[in-house]
Amino acid sequence: ESRDCGKPFSESQGDLGVCADTFDYYAEVAPVMMKPNYENSTGAAEFYARIENEPLGVVGCITPWNFPLMQAVLKVAPALAAGCSVVLKPSPLASLTCCALGELVAAAGAPPGALNVITGGPPEALEGGGSSGQYLIDHHMLDKVSFTGSGTAGQKMLEASASKLRPTCLELGGKSAFIIFDDVADCLDSVVDWVMVGIFQCTGQVCSATSRVLIHESLEQKLVDRLLERVRTIKVGDPLVAGTLMGPLVSEGQKQKVLGMIKQAEADGAKNHALPLQLSTELQQGYYVPPTVLSNLPYNSTAWKEEIFGPVLAIRSFSTEEEAVRLANDTPYGLANAVYSEDRVRCKRVASQLKSGVVWENCSQVLFPSTPFGGRQGRASGFGFELGPAGLKEFLSEKTVISNDRTTFDWGIYKQA
């Protein structure tokens, strides 16, 4: 995993733990959730109804390169638990562990065709299509598509599904905010650590990254000073070397995109606090970008408004709670946000106003197999869920069966006709 996508070895180990926990979770809850649910009909003693949950069918799962195995498992585990047949197409930039997953599932005794792994380019890889990804989403035998990736590619998924009226689950990008109030001065070290978790893990290539920090004006300089002090201790380098906290980006193209966004932010008037990287000779040609903190970034700057997908944190201050909530919600995205305060009542109040599918209170990027993860519907972060009971329901089809057990009973409507 680390060789394939460049994330530090310790992060890859953590991802594998999430994968195992997710398989265990769905193995436990699927048999319970898929039991028929018997319900009495409304006032008609002669009838009763049951609701059955059936496998949706053949599902196409298309996954990204930032969490290659974990993102695949978040789809494959509930789909298999539901009884679906899965065609998994990982990113061409990081396919190795997904291929290994296919081998492991087969070795574990899954029937032929339960999990099928295909590799190749994404739908936008070739002019006019022609890639394995395009062939997959155009196939008439797919009953559903589950996709994680960019908004542009997500639109292609919907276009391919529209003519087939095929359900499609999209987990897309985000530009999440991290609101920090003025009552946390005594725990600023913990605040800074969560801020860094929110943007520098996986070299910032995280759809839910809390990449916009909104700090109360009375604490702004203290936070920036403490943050920069800690950022300078991040060991950037070979992801396979012990102690490395940040590896390279996934590709040259991604590196140039991130550097371009940083350069544009500087042109817009932002102050860049990043220090030059100190890399060994053999790493200097790698896809490395320094952990970057931007301050004084205009609200209309592309780096403030658009997803960068790199280790770039933008910081702005606010004066009131109302202003903080307004600035956090001033984005087309709606995947996640975070709020930090000693006041639990305020955390709850602010969380209820943030327009996102996930809100972290006094933390960032914490997820559990049992809790749904997905964007707020109606926003540019997509729709549908992974994880939790909702993640299993994505691959189930509900069927209502209404039964009359008295074979001699009828309504008698036409007997006198």
Side-chain angles (χ1 to χ4, degrees):
E1 189 84 333
S2 293
R3 291 182 188 277
D4 212 13
C5 69
K7 65 172 56 184
F9 185 74
S10 58
E11 288 190 18
S12 294
Q13 287 181 308
D15 292 352
L16 289 176
V18 173
C19 292
D21 291 344
T22 301
F23 271 114
D24 287 344
Y25 170 75
Y26 284 114
E28 180 180 346
V29 303
V32 177
M33 288 183 59
M34 295 180 68
K35 285 183 179 178
N37 179 22
Y38 291 89
E39 297 182 358
N40 291 325
S41 180
T42 56
E46 299 83 3
F47 301 98
Y48 71 90
R50 68 180 183 272
I51 301 171
E52 297 181 348
N53 287 295
E54 299 180 341
L56 192 56
V58 180
V59 295
C61 298
I62 302 174
T63 54
W65 41 257
N66 54 339
F67 293 86
L69 183 62
M70 191 174 85
Q71 288 284 2
V73 168
L74 298 191
K75 301 178 188 300
V76 169
L80 292 180
C84 293
S85 177
V86 179
V87 182
L88 170 64
K89 199 210 79 65
S91 166
L93 295 176
S95 304
L96 297 182
T97 49
C98 288
C99 293
L101 176 64
E103 296 175 348
L104 289 171
V105 169
L115 175 60
N116 313 271
V117 183
I118 62 173
T119 58
E124 67 272 22
L126 300 175
E127 188 69 30
S131 69
S132 59
Q134 191 68 52
Y135 287 132
L136 176 60
I137 64 175
D138 286 341
H139 205 285
H140 69 280
M141 288 185 66
L142 283 188
D143 296 297
K144 180 165 187 168
V145 170
S146 180
F147 170 78
T148 298
S150 70
T152 300
Q155 291 175 352
K156 292 182 180 293
M157 304 296 148
L158 285 180
E159 290 169 3
S161 293
S163 63
K164 304 173 181 63
L165 300 179
R166 181 178 60 199
T168 301
C169 175
L170 302 178
E171 200 272 272
L172 308 177
K175 191 67 176 178
S176 305
F178 198 140
I179 301 173
I180 303 168
F181 285 99
D182 55 348
D183 59 355
V184 298
D186 293 338
C187 55
L188 208 54
D189 283 340
S190 294
V191 175
V192 167
D193 196 68
W194 284 116
V195 168
M196 293 172 69
V197 165
I199 188 58
F200 296 131
Q201 280 198 327
C202 199
T203 319
Q205 300 166 121
V206 181
C207 56
S208 60
T210 40
S211 57
R212 294 182 299 147
V213 163
L214 293 163
I215 175 73
H216 190 272
E217 57 189 7
S218 66
L219 277 182
E220 181 181 16
Q221 195 56 53
K222 286 184 179 179
L223 176 79
V224 171
D225 291 344
R226 192 78 56 89
L227 178 62
L228 293 178
E229 180 182 326
R230 295 273 288 278
V231 167
R232 290 171 183 136
T233 68
I234 295 177
K235 182 180 178 181
V236 181
D238 187 336
L240 299 180
V241 172
T244 296
L245 290 177
M246 203 172 91
L249 294 168
V250 73
S251 67
E252 177 66 23
Q254 187 65 18
K255 174 184 176 180
Q256 293 306 320
K257 175 192 172 185
V258 172
L259 291 177
M261 296 281 273
I262 295 172
K263 184 176 180 180
Q264 182 59 54
E266 292 172 337
D268 291 340
K271 182 177 181 181
N272 184 356
H273 299 272
L275 295 176
L277 288 173
Q278 303 297 320
L279 296 173
S280 61
T281 303
E282 62 269 20
L283 296 181
Q284 288 179 5
Q285 299 303 311
Y287 311 137
Y288 291 93
V289 170
T292 301
V293 177
L294 302 173
S295 61
N296 302 320
L297 191 62
Y299 293 125
N300 62 354
S301 172
T302 302
W304 178 262
K305 298 172 70 70
E306 295 296 327
E307 185 178 47
I308 297 176
F309 226 60
V312 183
L313 180 69
I315 298 179
R316 292 292 310 233
S317 65
F318 66 89
S319 57
T320 66
E321 180 178 311
E322 293 74 19
E323 181 188 13
V325 171
R326 177 179 59 80
L327 291 172
N329 287 333
D330 185 23
T331 172
Y333 299 104
L335 187 54
N337 285 294
V339 54
Y340 214 112
S341 173
E342 291 277 9
D343 186 342
R344 299 292 296 153
V345 173
R346 174 157 60 184
C347 281
K348 185 176 180 180
R349 182 174 63 243
V350 170
S352 69
Q353 299 175 72
L354 293 174
K355 296 179 179 179
S356 57
V358 177
V359 177
W360 290 291
E361 296 178 350
N362 298 338
C363 59
S364 184
Q365 310 307 308
V366 179
L367 296 174
F368 299 100
S370 58
T371 54
F373 178 82
R376 182 184 177 98
Q377 292 192 30
R379 294 206 153 213
S381 293
F383 39 80
F385 293 97
E386 294 173 336
L387 299 175
L392 181 64
K393 289 179 181 179
E394 291 289 338
F395 301 102
L396 294 173
S397 179
E398 284 192 344
K399 175 185 287 183
T400 297
V401 180
I402 299 175
S403 178
N404 166 24
D405 274 358
R406 294 169 53 195
T407 57
T408 60
F409 171 79
D410 59 71
W411 277 336
I413 296 175
Y414 298 101
K415 285 184 175 180
Q416 306 302 322

